[in-house]
Amino acid sequence: MGNLREGVYISDLRGNVLDANPAFLEMIGVGSLDDLKNITAYDLFVDPKQRERELELLAREGAVREFEFQIKRPDGRILTVLDTCSAIRDPAGDTIYHGILVDISDRKQSEERISHTASLLSTTLDSTADGILVVNNAGRTQTYNRKFLEMWRIPPEIAESHDDNLMLQHVLSQLRDPDGFLRRVRELYASPEAEAFDEIEFKDGRVFERYSAPQRLGGRPVGRVWSFRDVTERKTAELRLVHDAFHDGLTNLPNRALFMDLLGRSIGRARRRGDYNFALLFLDMDRFKVVNDSLGHLIGDQLLVAIARRLERCVRPGDTVARLGGDEFTILLDDIIDAGDATRVADRIQRELNLPFTISGQEVFTSASIGIALSATGYERPEELLRDADIAMYRAKAMGKARYEVFDLEMHARAVSQLQLETDLRHAIERDEFRVLYQPMISLDSGRIEGFEALVRWYHPTRGLVTPEEFVPIAEETGLILPIGRMVLREVCRQLAEWHQTFPSPLPLSVAVNLSAKQFRQPDLVDQVAHLLEVSEVSPVALRLEITESVIIDDAEGAVKMLARLRRLGVKLHLDDFGTGYSSLSYLHRFDMDALKIDRSFIAAMGDRGQNTEIVRAIISLARNLDMDVIAEGVERPEQLAILRSLGCEKVQGFLFSQPLAARDAAQLLREQPSF
């Protein structure tokens, strides 16, 4: 007993230790049995009543009993011990207890650490957002967390059955590609050291990220840990971001970025396949700005959506309708036979767009100008194809809108020429290449020159004279018409001041200046004119401003206000090209003009008993009734002059009297003052 590591003892019912081995004495922290004379075994117990209860049970039940308890040594240390105790009779017949104590303090601490670790692991597994499944090398389930059951929607009866095959069938039934799932699982079981990361898709649209790594024990793989994370929302958001990056937010059509990518692929396909042809249609809605300005941008946006849906109905499933921005749409016609396929689609689109749209109870009409570029022309980059379709579209607009044009090389040459002309036009302002010419206006009452119309001409250093018909539209589109217009007004006021000194008259000589649409809409136009008149010291009545019908009809309310401000300044106002626009009596009355100018097209076709003669007669009569002067422009033949005299026209101008003259030649004409 002396060599045993376990503590062996004998005690009586009162807890007095009768005998014990050294291991027992060392365990409880005393040196000899004599040290135990003044204490009982009960005094050693942290919980003495526990010992008492255990001994009572032992006395009642007999046999051998094991129980754990804690003892407190004299040095204050607390040990957890396992007591294996039995009750026996001594020679006197008294009950004594024989027991063996084992110090299990270290084991209890280890068990507590293991229990704590297991609890922590269990809590961690159940609190993680990922579903965790642990299997052994044979693929048998070892453990899983609650999230795994929730994510895979495994019913309690399947989980509680611990049937791996039943669980696997439930998992596979939800997947979009169950065979691929199984194949990947088998590959990983065949490679115990391998790790894997991929995505799995469900039939209901969910997406899980799947991560798998070997579970190791002692450095060798003993199983596999599977981790599943639900990334459905993230994937949906990513797909939405990708979709939004390549689609128009209003119409949900492909946007410029996606369309250019598709166009580039078609170009590449055409280079690889000699029998592959495609076409690009570029659409620009005609007068769409009028819809926005009159009905509002909300109606305009709804109209664009409705147009998009109609365009989609006009093409085949493999074709692409896109919105580049604003009111511009493009269509990629894939794998066509020839240009006829493209023009037939363009015709179909025109018919569809000619039908009225009903937007928020409002009936809206629109049309489109369409440019067509064909792959047969041969292209290297999508930008080139888009450029040529755009050129053809602008050609369609110039030809009257609501039509289509197919691009040809002549269009490109013309576009390049226009671009060069625009560049030269910008330099022309800097280099002072513009000149103001003056065409006389003749009073038929006196036969003398009453004034002039100022006409701007561009003398290009290499091309020579560039007509207004060539450069004015470009100047209007680019805004260069504004500095040109200011230059003309400034030069006219300067010239008027010089002529008024040279040719004094009770009725000062007048000069008429054409105002472009952009000039007329400048907020500071009145201030510009007032400043030039003040600086040049020219009377306002000597300046005549000519505005075409189309310019003022586009914004009638704004035009009325601007004309009233100019009239208060004292200048005279002429309605130019009368008869070619919207000619309305109500408009004439509201605009309160000083004179009407009959367009040259009516004068050119005028005959003794022709229709245009009656139109001219009606215009003259109308002007007389509204107390306006009448000026006929473009008079070139004596018979035209005779008819105008007979109709009572007051003033005329045209090549019959003089071509536009430089200022010095106009001054010479004033000195000679011929009678016409």
Side-chain angles (χ1 to χ4, degrees):
M1 188 171 77
N3 295 324
L4 292 176
R5 296 178 59 185
E6 293 82 6
V8 180
Y9 70 93
I10 299 173
S11 69
D12 61 18
L13 289 173
R14 292 183 299 277
N16 297 310
V17 178
L18 304 176
D19 194 8
N21 71 346
F24 176 84
L25 297 175
E26 182 181 351
M27 194 178 301
I28 65 173
V30 297
S32 66
L33 283 173
D34 291 338
D35 295 331
L36 293 174
K37 289 180 179 179
N38 298 323
I39 61 173
T40 67
Y42 297 145
D43 296 329
L44 299 174
F45 279 65
V46 173
D47 183 6
K49 290 185 177 180
Q50 181 189 2
R51 168 81 175 175
E52 187 176 343
R53 287 194 301 271
E54 296 292 343
L55 290 177
E56 287 176 357
L57 289 172
L58 183 62
R60 185 167 59 248
E61 298 175 3
V64 178
R65 186 171 182 82
E66 277 189 355
F67 53 92
E68 291 180 13
F69 59 90
Q70 288 183 314
I71 61 173
K72 186 174 183 180
R73 289 161 44 106
D75 61 6
R77 286 178 57 198
I78 295 176
L79 302 181
T80 302
V81 296
L82 176 66
D83 190 358
T84 305
C85 187
S86 61
I88 59 175
R89 297 284 183 180
D90 65 6
D94 296 325
T95 301
I96 59 174
Y97 298 99
H98 182 276
I100 300 174
L101 281 186
V102 179
D103 185 356
I104 61 171
S105 300
D106 291 342
R107 191 184 79 189
K108 291 297 291 186
Q109 290 177 2
S110 297
E111 288 176 353
E112 287 176 1
R113 285 196 296 270
I114 291 170
S115 177
H116 176 74
T117 302
S119 174
L120 182 61
L121 177 60
S122 176
T123 303
T124 301
L125 286 178
D126 282 339
S127 63
T128 184
D130 296 344
I132 305 295
L133 172 68
V134 181
V135 299
N136 62 21
N137 281 335
R140 297 298 180 186
T141 299
Q142 301 299 297
T143 187
Y144 47 75
N145 66 352
R146 186 168 53 248
K147 190 66 176 179
F148 171 78
L149 299 178
E150 293 174 0
M151 291 176 65
W152 287 94
R153 299 173 181 174
I154 297 174
E157 58 270 21
I158 294 180
E160 293 167 4
S161 72
H162 303 292
D163 188 330
D164 285 344
N165 288 328
L166 193 60
M167 185 180 292
L168 179 60
Q169 291 307 312
H170 179 79
V171 165
L172 295 177
S173 68
Q174 304 176 65
L175 299 179
R176 184 168 293 177
D177 181 17
D179 293 338
F181 180 89
L182 277 177
R183 184 169 55 252
R184 188 61 179 138
V185 168
R186 293 190 185 105
E187 289 173 356
L188 289 172
Y189 285 151
S191 304
E193 295 286 353
E195 294 187 19
F197 180 82
D198 59 2
E199 291 181 354
I200 50 179
E201 297 182 357
F202 286 68
K203 294 176 181 177
D204 61 6
R206 288 180 297 153
V207 180
F208 285 1
E209 281 182 349
R210 174 175 58 177
Y211 174 70
S212 181
Q215 179 193 14
R216 292 183 174 86
L217 186 62
R220 63 185 184 85
V222 296
R224 184 164 289 278
V225 179
W226 298 89
S227 172
F228 302 95
R229 177 170 296 179
D230 190 338
V231 294
T232 307
E233 290 187 6
R234 192 190 78 197
K235 296 298 289 186
T236 301
E238 289 174 356
L239 290 173
R240 172 55 58 186
L241 286 173
V242 171
H243 180 276
D244 291 348
F246 293 103
H247 287 79
D248 172 52
L250 177 64
T251 63
N252 204 36
L253 292 175
N255 61 11
R256 178 185 288 269
L258 178 55
F259 186 80
M260 296 300 279
D261 179 68
L262 295 173
L263 197 55
R265 295 183 190 185
S266 292
I267 291 174
R269 198 175 300 122
R271 283 199 296 263
R272 294 190 302 270
R273 285 176 44 193
D275 61 339
Y276 174 77
N277 296 299
F278 66 93
L280 168 61
L281 276 62
F282 193 117
L283 290 78
D284 186 87
M285 308 314 296
D286 298 325
R287 303 183 74 246
F288 182 78
K289 185 177 183 298
V290 176
V291 176
N292 272 340
D293 292 346
S294 58
L295 301 179
H297 287 275
L298 179 60
I299 297 296
D301 286 349
Q302 293 176 6
L303 177 59
L304 288 173
V305 173
I307 290 170
R309 301 293 82 82
R310 285 199 188 179
L311 293 178
E312 287 175 324
R313 294 201 299 267
C314 292
V315 299
R316 301 164 300 174
D319 300 328
T320 302
V321 180
R323 180 183 178 220
L324 295 193
D327 59 345
E328 293 180 339
F329 294 86
T330 50
I331 297 176
L332 177 59
L333 299 179
D334 185 60
D335 204 7
I336 62 173
I337 297 174
D338 54 27
D341 288 343
T343 57
R344 279 188 289 274
V345 172
D347 284 328
R348 192 181 310 138
I349 290 171
Q350 295 290 10
R351 289 194 299 270
E352 279 286 330
L353 295 182
N354 281 337
L355 299 174
F357 292 85
T358 302
I359 309 294
S360 298
Q362 175 78 41
E363 196 172 58
V364 180
F365 290 86
T366 189
S367 62
S369 297
I370 305 174
I372 302 173
L374 303 170
S375 61
T377 310
Y379 293 94
E380 293 295 323
R381 299 187 301 139
E383 292 81 7
E384 298 170 353
L385 194 66
L386 191 66
R387 174 203 65 200
D388 290 351
D390 189 35
I391 291 172
M393 181 274 293
Y394 273 105
R395 178 64 176 169
K397 277 195 180 296
M399 296 297 289
K401 302 180 181 180
R403 56 179 291 150
Y404 66 81
E405 289 287 333
V406 179
F407 176 81
D408 58 34
L409 294 178
E410 183 183 341
M411 285 186 189
H412 183 253
R414 189 162 50 243
V416 171
S417 176
Q418 290 288 91
L419 180 61
Q420 184 60 53
L421 193 64
E422 178 185 335
T423 302
D424 292 347
L425 189 60
R426 294 180 185 277
H427 292 310
I429 298 172
E430 302 167 5
R431 297 167 181 167
D432 195 25
E433 294 173 3
F434 291 99
R435 296 291 179 268
V436 179
L437 303 184
Y438 300 88
Q439 186 172 43
M441 289 185 187
I442 312 300
S443 169
L444 293 184
D445 289 338
S446 64
R448 296 174 64 83
I449 298 172
E450 186 180 83
F452 295 90
E453 179 181 0
L455 302 169
V456 65
R457 295 292 183 264
W458 177 15
Y459 291 92
H460 192 280
T462 58
R463 298 175 58 166
L465 177 65
V466 182
T467 65
E469 290 77 11
E470 290 181 85
F471 74 82
V472 168
I474 298 175
E476 280 275 7
E477 184 178 347
T478 59
L480 294 172
I481 196 70
L482 297 178
I484 295 173
R486 286 193 293 269
M487 181 275 295
V488 171
L489 275 171
R490 184 171 57 251
E491 178 60 23
V492 164
C493 288
R494 187 200 65 77
Q495 190 62 62
L496 273 172
E498 180 182 314
W499 282 343
H500 287 171
Q501 289 183 351
T502 306
F503 307 104
S505 170
L507 292 176
L509 192 71
S510 66
V511 174
V513 178
N514 291 281
L515 291 181
S516 71
K518 275 189 168 61
Q519 280 181 283
F520 186 70
R521 296 189 184 106
Q522 289 181 98
D524 64 340
L525 174 63
V526 176
D527 294 336
Q528 287 183 42
V529 175
H531 174 71
L532 291 172
L533 291 172
E534 181 182 0
V535 170
S536 60
E537 298 181 349
V538 170
S539 172
V541 297
L543 182 62
R544 314 293 169 96
L545 299 179
E546 297 188 349
I547 305 103
T548 62
E549 288 181 85
S550 59
V551 169
I552 57 180
I553 296 300
D554 281 347
D555 180 16
E557 294 302 323
V560 168
K561 295 176 183 178
M562 178 61 76
L563 292 171
R565 292 178 62 199
L566 290 169
R567 182 169 292 284
R568 286 196 295 271
L569 196 61
V571 300
K572 298 295 183 180
L573 303 173
H574 292 181
L575 188 60
D576 198 13
D577 298 338
F578 186 77
T580 61
Y582 300 89
S583 304
S584 165
L585 290 175
S586 62
Y587 280 133
L588 283 177
H589 178 73
R590 289 183 66 194
F591 294 145
D592 191 20
M593 294 289 184
D594 294 294
L596 298 182
K597 294 192 75 173
I598 305 173
D599 186 69
R600 65 181 66 250
S601 61
F602 294 107
I603 304 303
M606 194 169 55
D608 289 337
R609 283 186 287 273
Q611 183 181 13
N612 281 321
T613 300
E614 295 306 315
I615 293 176
V616 173
R617 187 195 306 276
I619 294 173
I620 294 172
S621 176
L622 173 64
R624 201 174 280 134
N625 290 333
L626 293 174
D627 196 25
M628 296 182 188
D629 289 342
V630 180
I631 305 167
E633 57 184 356
V635 180
E636 298 181 358
R637 301 193 306 273
E639 58 268 27
Q640 294 170 343
L641 177 61
I643 294 172
L644 290 169
R645 284 185 189 277
S646 69
L647 296 177
C649 185
E650 297 157 344
K651 299 180 182 67
V652 292
Q653 68 181 86
F655 289 169
L656 179 62
F657 311 102
S658 173
Q659 293 194 10
L661 303 170
R664 63 177 181 275
D665 296 326
Q668 183 61 35
L669 191 63
L670 286 171
R671 291 187 186 93
E672 296 172 356
Q673 198 54 264
S675 179
F676 296 100

